[in-house]
């Protein structure tokens, strides 16, 4: 497995290598092409006077360079020669035997052909081949060919020089690029290494106070570190909540268990009358029921928090539901002086999970009844935007402002002594808050200006995207 750094270096060096080679080939190719163009023009110019000296003498072609001017121009290794129409060498000057005749260069129709020819000695000669026709011959019958060869020494030297330079420059450039990329990659990835080390050192115990180092550069790695730390914050909060929940739950469970054990021990301490036994059993039953309620709510809350609550979104008439719940509660608290004041439209149907909504509303209404004393409980339902707003307000003492931010925490109670008397376990609002979220809404708590608490439940008309909807909805 290659490390990220190695891969970065390899890819960069490879891309650089390819770019370098292509660019060098293009530039060198262009330069060599121009050099040969220049050389060829010169070769043609040099061969012009020779063309005038080629004369058919008694039917054969002869080449003359009496003053050696042609050879002076062609230099060492150069030559000039005439060939007959079949390509046989007739006559020449200079090193003209060294270059074998290449038949395909003998093209009668052309103005001349120029090409490199490698000799047996290894030397390269550039040869210009030109067909010869008799002057004023309208049929342009080819009498033979003039060939002029010259060693393109300067061009070859420049090519060799380019090759030498590239052979040195390429490895050096690759090395420099490799080192630079390695350095940059190491510098860029160093924070990652530190983050890995930091992350490895974080355990469940150090989750609360250990965070990853944040790199100074505002880049993707810094964003990653920030996101990771934010995740750790959320995890730490969830962990703390979980710990508190477990501690509170154990504490809550201990109270009824102690009461049950106390009652049982008391009843068993000496023989008693059947009435006394019955009374003890009733107390035990009360406490057991309290425990059952507590455990039931804990389970529901755990399921809701863990996203395991199965929701079935169906059209639900909220007005009818509120009427049924308030009527039931009125009947239960008959004679307690509680009165519900309803402010509801004729009907209002939303798509939601009816069981969840019932649990939330029942909780709010039961609390309102419990705290309102003998006052009135107002229940209002209104459409707001793409949702509805259900408000349950009472005329009780309200909620201590310092407690408002904590009111939805599990086991939170403003006044524990009073709560225990009323049989509450401090999980109702936490559960209602969690369920409201599951339904795509939210639950808010406030105090009314005129006194008393007010709980507002906001719910969407339709379930949120991604919620598990019942088939057909
Ligand atoms: P429980 O299940 O014990 O009723 P809740 O979670 O419903 O507990 O309520 C938590 C706390 O919120 C209670 O201890 C109480 O102090 C406070 N509370 C809830 N409803 C009201 C209200 N209508 N008026 C005043 N205080 C309230």
């Amino acid at each position: 497995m290659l490390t990220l750094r190695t891969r970065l270096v390899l890819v960069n060096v490879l891309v650089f290598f390819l770019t370098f080679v292509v660019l060098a080939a293009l530039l060198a190719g262009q330069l060599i092409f121009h050099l040969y163009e220049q050389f060829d023009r010169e070769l043609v110019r040099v061969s012009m006077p020779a063309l005038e000296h080629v004369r058919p003498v008694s039917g054969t072609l002869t080449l003359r360079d009496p003053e050696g001017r042609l050879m002076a121009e062609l230099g060492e290794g150069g030559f000039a020669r005439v060939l007959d129409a079949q390509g046989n060498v007739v006559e020449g000057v200079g090193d003209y035997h060294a270059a074998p005749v290449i038949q395909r260069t003998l093209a009668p129709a052309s103005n001349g052909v120029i090409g490199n020819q490698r000799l047996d000695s290894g030397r390269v000669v550039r040869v210009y081949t030109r067909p010869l026709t008799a002057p004023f011959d309208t049929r342009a019958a080819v009498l033979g060919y003039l060939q002029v060869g010259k060693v393109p020494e300067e061009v070859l030297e420049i090519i060799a020089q380019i090759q030498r330079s590239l052979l040195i420059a390429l490895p050096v450039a690759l090395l420099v690029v490799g080192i630079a990329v390695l350095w940059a990659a190491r510098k860029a990835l160093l924070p990652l290494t530190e983050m890995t080390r930091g992350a490895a050192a974080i355990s469940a115990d150090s989750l609360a106070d250990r965070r990853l180092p944040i790199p100074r550069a505002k880049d993707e790695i810094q964003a990653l570190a920030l996101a990771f730390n934010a995740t750790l914050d959320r995890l730490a909060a969830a962990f703390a909540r979980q710990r508190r929940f477990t501690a509170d739950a154990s504490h809550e469970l201990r109270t009824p268990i102690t009461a049950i054990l106390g009652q049982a021990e008391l009843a068993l301490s000496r023989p008693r009358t059947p009435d006394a036994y019955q009374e003890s059993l009733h107390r035990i039953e009360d406490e057991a029921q309290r425990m059952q309620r507590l455990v039931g709510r804990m389970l529901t809350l755990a399921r809701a928090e863990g996203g395991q609550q199965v929701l079935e979104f169906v059209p639900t008439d909220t007005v009818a539901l509120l009427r049924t719940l308030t009527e039931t509660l009125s009947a239960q608290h008959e004679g307690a002086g509680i009165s519900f004041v309803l402010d509801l439209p004729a009907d209002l149907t939303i798509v939601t999970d009816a069981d969840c909504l019932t649990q939330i509303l029942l909780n709010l209404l039961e609390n309102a009844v419990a705290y309102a004393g003998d006052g009135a409980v107002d229940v209002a339902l209104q459409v707001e935007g793409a949702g509805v707003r259900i408000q349950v307000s009472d005329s009780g003492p309200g909620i201590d402002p310092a407690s408002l931010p904590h009111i939805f925490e599990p086991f939170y109670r403003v006044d524990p002594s009073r709560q225990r008397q009323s049989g509450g376990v401090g999980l109702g609002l936490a559960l209602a808050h969690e369920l409201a979220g599951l339904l795509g809404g939210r639950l808010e708590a406030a105090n009314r200006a005129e006194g008393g608490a007010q709980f507002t439940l906001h719910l969407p008309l339709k379930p949120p995207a991604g919620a598990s909807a019942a088939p057909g909805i």
Side-chain angles (χ1 to χ4, degrees):
M1 244 289 281
L2 291 177
T3 62
L4 191 57
R5 199 173 57 201
T6 318
R7 266 182 284 167
L8 271 174
V9 172
L10 283 181
V11 168
N12 274 283
V13 168
L14 187 70
V15 169
F16 174 80
F17 173 76
L18 292 177
T19 316
F20 188 100
V21 167
V22 170
L23 263 180
L26 273 175
L27 288 176
Q30 222 162 30
L31 179 68
I32 292 167
F33 177 80
H34 282 299
L35 287 173
Y36 268 129
E37 220 176 29
Q38 231 171 2
F39 183 86
D40 292 350
R41 262 202 303 273
E42 184 62 13
L43 192 60
V44 172
R45 190 191 61 73
V46 167
S47 62
M48 280 307 157
L51 212 55
E52 284 160 21
H53 290 296
V54 177
R55 296 212 181 87
V57 176
S58 60
T60 47
L61 294 162
T62 54
L63 176 75
R64 297 275 175 271
D65 183 21
E67 283 145 41
R69 244 192 253 152
L70 182 60
M71 277 319 293
E73 297 233 45
L74 292 176
E76 159 92 19
F79 68 85
R81 66 189 176 190
V82 281
L83 314 176
D84 64 15
Q86 284 70 45
N88 302 311
V89 179
V90 178
E91 201 178 3
V93 287
D95 210 357
Y96 72 97
H97 285 301
V101 175
I102 298 170
Q103 285 298 324
R104 81 185 135 76
T105 58
L106 307 180
S110 75
N111 278 339
V113 179
I114 303 183
N116 279 2
Q117 203 172 328
R118 185 174 287 276
L119 307 183
D120 289 341
S121 60
R123 172 175 265 175
V124 174
V125 192
R126 198 150 178 91
V127 181
Y128 172 47
T129 309
R130 165 132 195 176
L132 299 169
T133 49
F136 314 117
D137 183 353
T138 46
R139 284 171 299 130
V142 175
L143 302 174
Y145 298 91
L146 168 70
Q147 280 197 325
V148 179
K150 185 177 176 177
V151 180
E153 220 155 344
E154 268 181 33
V155 181
L156 293 176
E157 180 51 31
I158 290 175
I159 292 174
Q161 234 169 41
I162 292 175
Q163 274 173 347
R164 273 197 301 273
S165 309
L166 287 182
L167 275 180
I168 297 170
L170 184 60
V172 171
L174 283 181
L175 194 71
V176 170
V177 168
I179 291 173
V181 174
L182 191 69
W183 177 80
R186 178 174 296 175
K187 200 164 147 53
L189 297 178
L190 193 66
L192 269 189
T193 319
E194 279 172 15
M195 277 165 65
T196 311
R197 225 177 286 135
I202 295 173
S203 65
D205 292 325
S206 59
L207 193 59
D209 43 38
R210 279 214 135 156
R211 289 296 175 265
L212 291 190
I214 305 287
R216 255 177 295 139
K218 280 195 187 332
D219 54 13
E220 292 87 340
I221 298 183
Q222 191 197 54
L224 174 68
L226 287 173
F228 193 85
N229 279 351
T231 308
L232 288 182
D233 286 344
R234 285 195 299 275
L235 272 180
F239 250 64
R241 238 186 357 255
Q242 211 66 42
R243 281 213 185 100
R244 209 165 44 235
F245 187 87
T246 315
D248 289 346
S250 328
H251 181 76
E252 292 298 325
L253 282 169
R254 215 172 34 211
T255 315
I257 290 173
T258 313
I260 288 171
L261 281 176
Q263 279 299 327
E265 277 166 16
L266 189 72
L268 294 171
S269 59
R270 59 184 166 83
R272 294 182 187 270
T273 61
D275 282 351
Y277 281 128
Q278 236 177 21
E279 199 194 319
S280 289
L281 282 175
H282 274 308
R283 290 221 179 116
I284 287 175
E285 188 185 26
D286 280 352
E287 290 298 337
Q289 275 170 354
R290 197 176 128 74
M291 254 172 76
Q292 193 183 38
R293 238 185 355 258
L294 176 67
V295 172
R297 288 202 159 178
M298 272 165 59
L299 269 179
T300 320
L301 187 62
R303 244 185 260 133
E305 280 186 338
Q308 290 153 348
Q309 183 94 357
V310 181
L311 300 175
E312 196 186 348
F313 286 91
V314 290
T316 307
D317 184 349
T318 43
V319 176
L321 180 62
L322 279 169
R323 283 195 196 285
T324 313
L325 291 177
T326 47
E327 275 162 23
T328 313
L329 284 172
S330 294
Q332 274 175 13
H333 295 88
E334 220 187 337
I338 292 290
S339 61
F340 284 103
V341 180
L342 305 183
D343 175 11
L344 309 173
D347 71 284
L348 212 168
T349 299
I350 65 169
V351 180
T352 192
D353 182 289
D355 284 344
C356 275
L357 182 57
T358 307
Q359 273 194 60
I360 300 170
L361 293 176
L362 202 56
N363 212 281
L364 299 181
L365 292 169
E366 275 178 343
N367 276 349
V369 169
Y371 288 92
D374 52 3
V377 174
D378 294 325
V379 180
L381 170 61
Q382 276 138 20
V383 175
E384 55 158 17
V388 293
R389 184 176 62 197
I390 302 174
Q391 268 177 329
V392 177
S393 327
D394 60 60
S395 50
I399 302 161
D400 171 21
S403 299
L404 267 179
H406 308 287
I407 204 83
F408 296 120
E409 289 172 11
F411 300 111
Y412 186 83
R413 291 187 191 117
V414 178
D415 177 4
S417 59
R418 176 175 171 175
Q419 199 73 30
R420 204 153 282 141
Q421 272 169 16
S422 69
V425 291
L427 280 180
L429 283 182
L431 188 56
H433 188 257
E434 202 62 41
L435 293 179
L438 284 186
L439 297 183
R442 63 183 198 282
L443 181 60
E444 290 163 357
N447 283 315
R448 290 203 296 182
E450 61 267 40
Q454 182 171 64
F455 288 87
T456 309
L457 174 64
H458 302 271
L459 283 180
L461 288 176
K462 285 202 173 104
S468 50
I473 304 274

Coordinates of all heavy atoms in Angstrom, one line a residue, residues 16 27 56 63-64 73 92 98 125-126 186 192 197-199 211 224 253 273 287-288 304 310 334 341 419 432 454:
F16 N 4.8 15.8 -14.5 CA 5.9 16.7 -15.0 C 6.7 16.0 -16.1 O 7.1 16.7 -17.0 CB 6.7 17.0 -13.7 CG 7.9 17.8 -14.1 CD1 7.8 19.2 -14.3 CD2 9.2 17.3 -14.3 CE1 8.9 20.0 -14.7 CE2 10.3 18.0 -14.7 CZ 10.1 19.4 -14.9
L27 N 9.6 21.5 -29.1 CA 10.5 22.6 -29.3 C 11.7 22.2 -30.1 O 12.1 22.8 -31.1 CB 10.9 23.2 -27.9 CG 9.8 24.0 -27.2 CD1 10.3 24.4 -25.9 CD2 9.4 25.2 -28.1
P56 N 26.1 17.4 -71.5 CA 26.2 16.1 -72.3 C 27.3 16.2 -73.3 O 27.3 17.1 -74.1 CB 24.8 16.0 -72.9 CG 24.0 17.1 -72.5 CD 24.9 18.2 -71.9
L63 N 30.5 16.1 -65.4 CA 30.4 17.2 -64.4 C 31.8 17.8 -64.2 O 32.8 17.1 -64.2 CB 30.1 16.5 -63.0 CG 30.1 17.4 -61.8 CD1 28.8 18.2 -61.9 CD2 30.1 16.5 -60.6
R64 N 31.8 19.1 -64.3 CA 33.1 19.8 -64.2 C 33.1 20.7 -63.0 O 32.2 21.4 -62.7 CB 33.3 20.6 -65.5 CG 33.4 19.8 -66.7 CD 34.9 19.3 -66.9 NE 34.9 18.4 -68.1 CZ 34.7 17.1 -68.0 NH1 34.4 16.5 -66.9 NH2 34.8 16.4 -69.1
E73 N 32.8 24.7 -51.4 CA 31.6 24.9 -50.6 C 31.0 23.7 -50.0 O 30.4 23.8 -48.9 CB 30.5 25.4 -51.7 CG 30.9 26.7 -52.3 CD 29.9 27.8 -52.2 OE1 29.3 27.9 -51.1 OE2 29.6 28.5 -53.2
G92 N 31.9 12.2 -61.0 CA 31.7 13.1 -59.8 C 33.0 13.7 -59.3 O 34.1 13.4 -59.8
A98 N 31.4 7.1 -51.8 CA 31.1 6.6 -50.4 C 29.5 6.4 -50.3 O 29.1 5.5 -49.5 CB 31.6 7.6 -49.4
V125 N 25.2 12.3 -44.5 CA 25.4 13.3 -45.6 C 23.9 13.6 -46.0 O 23.1 12.8 -46.1 CB 26.1 12.7 -46.8 CG1 26.5 13.8 -47.8 CG2 27.3 11.9 -46.4
R126 N 23.8 14.9 -46.3 CA 22.5 15.4 -46.8 C 22.6 15.5 -48.3 O 23.5 16.2 -48.8 CB 22.1 16.7 -46.1 CG 20.6 16.9 -46.3 CD 20.1 17.7 -45.1 NE 18.7 18.1 -45.3 CZ 17.7 17.3 -44.8 NH1 18.0 16.2 -44.2 NH2 16.4 17.7 -45.0
R186 N 4.7 16.7 2.4 CA 4.9 16.4 3.8 C 4.4 17.5 4.7 O 3.7 17.3 5.7 CB 6.4 16.2 4.1 CG 6.7 16.0 5.5 CD 8.2 15.7 5.8 NE 8.6 14.5 5.1 CZ 9.8 14.0 5.1 NH1 10.8 14.7 5.6 NH2 10.1 12.9 4.5
L192 N -2.3 16.3 9.2 CA -3.0 15.0 9.3 C -2.4 14.0 10.2 O -3.1 13.3 10.9 CB -3.1 14.4 7.9 CG -4.3 14.8 7.0 CD1 -4.3 13.9 5.7 CD2 -5.6 14.6 7.7
R197 N -2.5 11.3 15.4 CA -2.0 11.0 16.7 C -2.9 11.5 17.8 O -3.2 10.8 18.8 CB -0.6 11.7 16.8 CG 0.4 10.8 17.5 CD 1.8 11.4 17.5 NE 2.4 11.5 16.2 CZ 3.1 12.6 15.8 NH1 3.1 13.7 16.5 NH2 3.6 12.6 14.6
G198 N -3.5 12.7 17.6 CA -4.4 13.3 18.5 C -5.6 12.4 18.7 O -6.1 12.2 19.8
A199 N -6.2 12.0 17.5 CA -7.4 11.2 17.5 C -7.2 9.9 18.3 O -8.1 9.4 19.0 CB -7.9 11.0 16.1
R211 N -9.2 17.5 22.5 CA -9.6 17.9 21.1 C -8.4 17.8 20.2 O -7.3 17.9 20.6 CB -10.2 19.3 21.1 CG -11.6 19.4 21.8 CD -12.6 18.5 21.1 NE -13.9 18.6 21.8 CZ -14.3 17.7 22.7 NH1 -13.5 16.7 23.0 NH2 -15.4 17.7 23.2
L224 N -11.5 19.8 8.3 CA -11.7 18.5 8.8 C -11.5 18.5 10.3 O -12.3 17.8 11.0 CB -10.7 17.5 8.1 CG -10.7 16.1 8.6 CD1 -11.9 15.4 8.2 CD2 -9.5 15.4 8.0
L253 N -35.0 4.8 40.4 CA -35.5 3.4 40.6 C -35.3 3.0 42.0 O -36.0 2.2 42.6 CB -34.8 2.4 39.6 CG -35.3 2.4 38.2 CD1 -34.4 1.6 37.3 CD2 -36.7 1.8 38.2
T273 N -52.7 -8.0 61.1 CA -54.1 -8.3 60.7 C -54.2 -8.3 59.1 O -53.4 -7.6 58.5 CB -55.1 -7.2 61.2 OG1 -54.6 -5.9 60.6 CG2 -55.0 -7.1 62.7
E287 N -46.1 1.6 44.6 CA -44.7 1.8 44.2 C -44.3 1.0 43.0 O -43.5 1.5 42.1 CB -43.8 1.4 45.4 CG -43.9 2.4 46.6 CD -43.5 3.8 46.3 OE1 -42.7 4.0 45.3 OE2 -43.9 4.7 47.0
A288 N -44.8 -0.2 42.9 CA -44.5 -1.0 41.7 C -45.0 -0.4 40.4 O -44.4 -0.4 39.4 CB -45.0 -2.4 41.9
A304 N -37.1 6.4 21.3 CA -37.2 7.7 20.5 C -35.8 8.3 20.2 O -35.6 8.7 19.1 CB -38.1 8.7 21.2
V310 N -41.1 3.2 15.8 CA -41.7 3.0 14.5 C -42.9 4.0 14.3 O -43.8 4.1 15.1 CB -42.3 1.6 14.3 CG1 -42.9 1.4 12.9 CG2 -41.2 0.6 14.6
E334 N -63.0 15.3 37.5 CA -64.3 15.9 37.8 C -64.3 16.3 39.3 O -63.8 15.6 40.2 CB -65.4 14.9 37.6 CG -66.6 15.5 36.9 CD -67.8 14.6 36.8 OE1 -67.6 13.4 36.8 OE2 -68.9 15.1 36.7
V341 N -60.5 25.6 28.4 CA -61.1 26.6 27.5 C -60.5 26.3 26.1 O -59.2 26.4 25.9 CB -60.7 28.0 27.9 CG1 -61.2 29.1 27.0 CG2 -61.1 28.2 29.4
Q419 N -43.1 16.9 43.0 CA -43.3 16.0 41.8 C -43.5 14.6 42.3 O -44.4 13.9 41.8 CB -42.0 16.1 41.0 CG -42.2 15.5 39.6 CD -43.0 16.5 38.8 OE1 -42.9 17.7 39.0 NE2 -43.7 16.1 37.9
A432 N -41.8 14.1 25.4 CA -42.6 14.9 24.5 C -41.7 15.7 23.6 O -42.0 15.8 22.4 CB -43.5 15.8 25.3
Q454 N -46.8 28.0 29.5 CA -47.3 27.8 28.2 C -46.4 27.0 27.4 O -45.2 27.3 27.2 CB -47.5 29.2 27.5 CG -48.1 29.0 26.2 CD -48.5 30.4 25.6 OE1 -47.6 31.2 25.3 NE2 -49.8 30.7 25.4

